[in-house]
Amino acid sequence: MRINIKKHINKIIGLSILLTSSIGCSDFLDEQDPSNLEPDSFYTTATHAESAIAAVYADARFVGDGAGIFSSNWQFLMAPTGTTTTETAQNSDLNNLYALSYDANTLHIRNWYRGIYKVIANANLVLDNVPDIEMEEAQKARILGEAKFLRAWAYFYAVRLWGDIPLITLPQNANSEDFFPIRSPQSEVYNLIVTDLSEAENAGLPWTDETGRVSQAAVKTLLAKVYLTMAGQPLNETARYADAASKAKEVIDNAGPIRLFDTYGELHDESQNNMGEHIFSLQYNNLVADNPMDNMYPNFQPVTYRGPSGTGSTIPHISFYNSYEDSDLRKMDREGWFYTSYFTNGDGELFDLGKPYIFKYFNRTADGTQGVPGTAKDNLNLMIFRYAEVLLIYAEASNEVNGPSQEAWNGLNDIRSRAQLSTPALATYNKDSFRDAILTERWHELSFEMKTWFDMVRLRKVYNVITGGFDNFVGHVNLNSNQTLQEKHLLFPLPEQEMINNPNLTPQNPGY
C-alpha cells in the first residue's frame, strides 16, 4: 500500500490522504496549497502534515507549467544553451530566450521566480508548523527532511539564476518584519542549502523510494551537485571538489537498487518511474497532470495517437546533433535521445520525419508504438537526478582533486559503453584531457535535462559543437541564433513585476 496524494483540500474535514495500490500509480501529487488556510486550524494532525508536504511536491511541478502559446517553463533552461532551436517561432518570450535578448519582462523568467518562491513558501510553512504537531516522531522527521530537501532544491535554482536573492526561512505575512526582503549574498544562500541538505541526510529517509518521495540517495546527489557548483564560479571554493567527490561516492558505493539502465528506452518507460537510474523525479499522473514535455513533439506530424499535432518549439540544433559520434547509440533513430522516423499516429506505418527530433521524453505507452495504440495517458515522470549524473559528478570532482583515477574512469566508461562507444585507456589521459572528456560527456549524456546552462555558468565554458573543444563563456556564439554570450548572461534579470512589488530587490542584475 502506497501513499498517493491526488485530490484537493476539503474545507469541511481538512486535507485527506488517498491510499491506493493501483499498478504504476505511485506518484505523490496534490492540487492545492495550504498557504491559503489558517495554520492554527490546519496544522494539527499527522494527516495535515502529510498533505502539507504533498503541496510542496505539487508546487515543484511549476517546471512543467505553460508559458504562453507553444511554450513551457522548462524551455527557459534549454533555449539559451544553443543546443536547441524551434520550428514554430510563435512565442515571442521563447524567441527572446533563443536570441539571448530576454529581459525583466520575459514570461519564463517571471514564472520561474514565482514558482521557486512558492515552493520555498510552502516548505517554510511545513518547517515552521509541523514540529508542533503531535504525531509519530519518525514520520515527522521524514516530512521535515523532505521539506528541507525541497527548499534547498528551490534555492539552488534561484541562486544560480539570479545570484544574490532574498533568503526567506519563515512564513511571511503582511506583518512580517522582512515582508520586503533584501537580497542576501550568494554565499549565505549556499550556506542555507548545505545546512538544509545536511539535516535532511539525518532525517531517517529511506535510501530509495519508489513512490517518488525524497530519498537519502536524492539528498546526497543534490548535495554532491551543490558542492560541485560551489567549487566553480562564482564562489570558487575549490576545496568543495573533494566534498563533491566524497558525497557522490557515497551514492556509488551504496547504490543498491540504483543503477544505469541497460537501455535508454527504460529512461522514458513509465513502468520504470522512480526506479533504477531515476534518483529523483517530478511526479506526473494523468489523473492530475500529464507529463509536460509535449513541446518536443515535431511540428504537426502524426507521431502520436492524436495524429498531426505537436509544436516543435524545442528541437535539437542540427550542429549539436551532429556533434555526437556517428556510432553513438544515443544518436541512433529511436534508440537514444533522438528520432528521425516514427509510426503514423503512433502505431501505424513508419515514416521519415525529415530531421532529428528529441526522443528522450517520448512515452511509447501513452503515444503508441508499432502495432500498439497509445493509451493517451502520459504518466511519465520528469527526471531531475539520475545515476549517470552521479557518476559524472564523481569523475569530474575527483579529477580536480587527484587527477584521473581508475574509479572515475570506470564511471565514465560505463556511460560510454552503454552508448556503444569505446573509452581511451586511463593512462592516455592527463588531468586536463580527462576533464574535457568528462565535460563533453556531460553535454552529450545530460542534454535536454535543464542542466547544460548551469554547467556553462559554473565552468565559464561552453562546448563548441564544431571543434569539439570548449570556448570561454563570454564571446561564445550560440549557433541557434548566431548571438554572442555576454558577461550579463551569467545571471538572469530579476522580474520587473517582482521589483515593483518589492523595492528592496534593487539594484537589477548588471546589464538589464
Side-chain angles (χ1 to χ4, degrees):
M1 191 75 70
R2 295 172 179 171
I3 295 176
N4 185 2
I5 298 183
K6 296 179 181 292
K7 294 299 180 183
H8 58 276
I9 297 172
N10 185 303
K11 294 182 179 179
I12 299 175
I13 63 173
L15 288 168
S16 64
I17 297 175
L18 178 64
L19 298 176
T20 180
S21 59
S22 58
I23 297 174
C25 191
S26 60
D27 299 334
F28 196 64
L29 305 165
D30 188 51
E31 288 187 337
Q32 294 191 18
D33 70 84
S35 59
N36 296 322
L37 300 175
E38 291 296 329
D40 290 344
S41 62
F42 173 66
Y43 292 98
T44 57
T45 70
T47 297
H48 293 166
E50 290 284 5
S51 296
I53 192 62
V56 190
Y57 281 99
D59 291 339
R61 292 203 307 275
F62 81 87
V63 171
D65 289 349
I69 184 172
F70 295 162
S71 192
S72 303
N73 286 340
W74 54 261
Q75 291 169 301
F76 172 42
L77 296 178
M78 293 190 202
T81 66
T83 62
T84 64
T85 186
T86 178
E87 287 184 314
T88 55
Q90 294 192 39
N91 185 296
S92 59
D93 290 293
L94 182 59
N95 292 342
N96 290 338
L97 288 169
Y98 281 119
L100 301 177
S101 59
Y102 47 81
D103 58 26
N105 289 304
T106 299
L107 178 60
H108 302 72
I109 295 173
R110 182 166 71 248
N111 286 353
W112 270 79
Y113 191 94
R114 291 177 177 177
I116 284 169
Y117 273 98
K118 186 178 180 186
V119 172
I120 291 167
N122 273 339
N124 284 340
L125 282 169
V126 172
L127 294 170
D128 193 59
N129 290 284
V130 169
D132 293 332
I133 297 176
E134 292 187 10
M135 56 187 294
E136 202 273 325
E137 289 301 318
Q139 182 185 19
K140 178 188 294 187
R142 173 173 179 160
I143 289 171
L144 294 174
E146 292 171 309
K148 288 173 182 175
F149 171 93
L150 291 165
R151 183 170 71 175
W153 175 79
Y155 268 124
F156 188 42
Y157 276 119
V159 73
R160 291 178 294 167
L161 293 171
W162 295 290
D164 297 349
I165 52 171
L167 192 58
I168 304 169
T169 58
L170 294 171
Q172 299 289 294
N173 59 51
N175 297 319
S176 298
E177 291 184 5
D178 58 346
F179 187 67
F180 297 108
I182 62 172
R183 298 168 69 177
S184 296
Q186 293 184 53
S187 58
E188 292 183 14
V189 180
Y190 275 104
N191 286 342
L192 176 70
I193 292 169
V194 170
T195 298
D196 273 354
L197 293 174
S198 298
E199 291 176 359
E201 280 189 291
N202 298 311
L205 301 173
W207 179 246
T208 59
D209 193 318
E210 292 185 11
T211 71
R213 296 177 73 152
V214 175
S215 66
Q216 186 78 228
V219 175
K220 291 181 184 295
T221 298
L222 177 53
L223 190 51
K225 187 165 184 174
V226 169
Y227 286 144
L228 184 71
T229 302
M230 295 173 73
Q233 298 277 6
L235 296 187
N236 288 311
E237 296 181 8
T238 55
R240 292 297 190 179
Y241 280 122
D243 295 331
S246 175
K247 199 56 61 177
K249 195 170 188 301
E250 288 183 43
V251 179
I252 295 168
D253 289 347
N254 299 285
I258 300 172
R259 61 182 179 85
L260 289 180
F261 283 131
D262 296 328
T263 66
Y264 297 116
E266 291 170 278
L267 279 170
H268 50 112
D269 179 349
E270 64 182 46
S271 71
Q272 299 296 319
N273 279 343
N274 305 320
M275 294 187 285
E277 193 163 342
H278 297 297
I279 294 177
F280 183 70
S281 302
L282 300 183
Q283 305 297 294
Y284 285 89
N285 186 287
N286 179 256
L287 295 175
V288 176
D290 284 319
N291 181 283
M293 308 304 284
D294 55 356
N295 283 322
M296 288 185 174
Y297 290 136
N299 188 20
F300 297 108
Q301 297 204 50
V303 298
T304 79
Y305 67 91
R306 288 183 289 262
S309 62
T311 67
S313 57
T314 291
I315 67 173
H317 191 275
I318 192 63
S319 295
F320 179 66
Y321 170 79
N322 288 336
S323 73
Y324 286 76
E325 297 177 49
D326 288 341
S327 58
D328 193 327
L329 191 63
R330 292 168 298 195
K331 190 179 183 180
M332 301 301 177
D333 183 25
R334 289 172 283 121
E335 291 285 348
W337 304 159
F338 306 96
Y339 64 137
T340 56
S341 67
Y342 207 67
F343 308 105
T344 303
N345 297 335
D347 63 337
E349 294 296 319
L350 188 68
F351 72 99
D352 186 8
L353 290 166
K355 65 177 73 170
Y357 293 89
I358 299 169
F359 198 58
K360 202 169 199 175
Y361 300 92
F362 194 95
N363 186 348
R364 290 183 180 91
T365 300
D367 296 325
T369 190
Q370 188 173 31
V372 182
T375 64
K377 298 178 179 180
D378 197 342
N379 297 319
L380 187 67
N381 291 337
L382 179 55
M383 52 194 171
I384 300 297
F385 300 129
R386 58 187 179 91
Y387 188 53
E389 186 175 12
V390 176
L391 296 176
L392 291 170
I393 290 172
Y394 176 75
E396 181 185 349
S398 64
N399 181 61
E400 295 301 326
V401 177
N402 297 311
S405 69
Q406 186 65 54
E407 197 162 13
W409 183 91
N410 289 343
L412 179 66
N413 183 59
D414 286 346
I415 291 170
R416 288 179 58 81
S417 293
R418 182 170 63 173
Q420 297 185 359
L421 298 173
S422 61
T423 306
L426 177 62
T428 64
Y429 290 110
N430 59 30
K431 185 174 183 178
D432 291 338
S433 62
F434 195 52
R435 178 192 301 119
D436 285 350
I438 295 162
L439 296 179
T440 300
E441 209 58 43
R442 283 192 67 91
W443 251 260
H444 286 154
E445 176 67 20
L446 305 177
S447 58
F448 320 124
E449 294 185 32
M450 297 178 285
K451 302 178 189 297
T452 299
W453 179 258
F454 295 125
D455 282 342
M456 292 164 61
V457 171
R458 71 178 175 87
L459 296 165
R460 300 295 197 263
K461 298 286 184 182
V462 185
Y463 179 64
N464 186 313
V465 297
I466 304 300
T467 67
F470 287 85
D471 298 340
N472 289 330
F473 180 99
V474 177
H476 171 81
V477 177
N478 274 4
L479 295 182
N480 65 346
S481 61
N482 289 321
Q483 297 302 308
T484 303
L485 288 165
Q486 304 171 37
E487 184 82 22
K488 74 172 188 176
H489 294 131
L490 292 167
L491 293 174
F492 285 93
L494 291 159
E496 181 174 347
Q497 188 60 52
E498 298 303 321
M499 298 190 74
I500 293 172
N501 292 340
N502 178 11
N504 287 337
L505 288 180
T506 55
Q508 177 62 277
N509 282 333
Y512 296 105

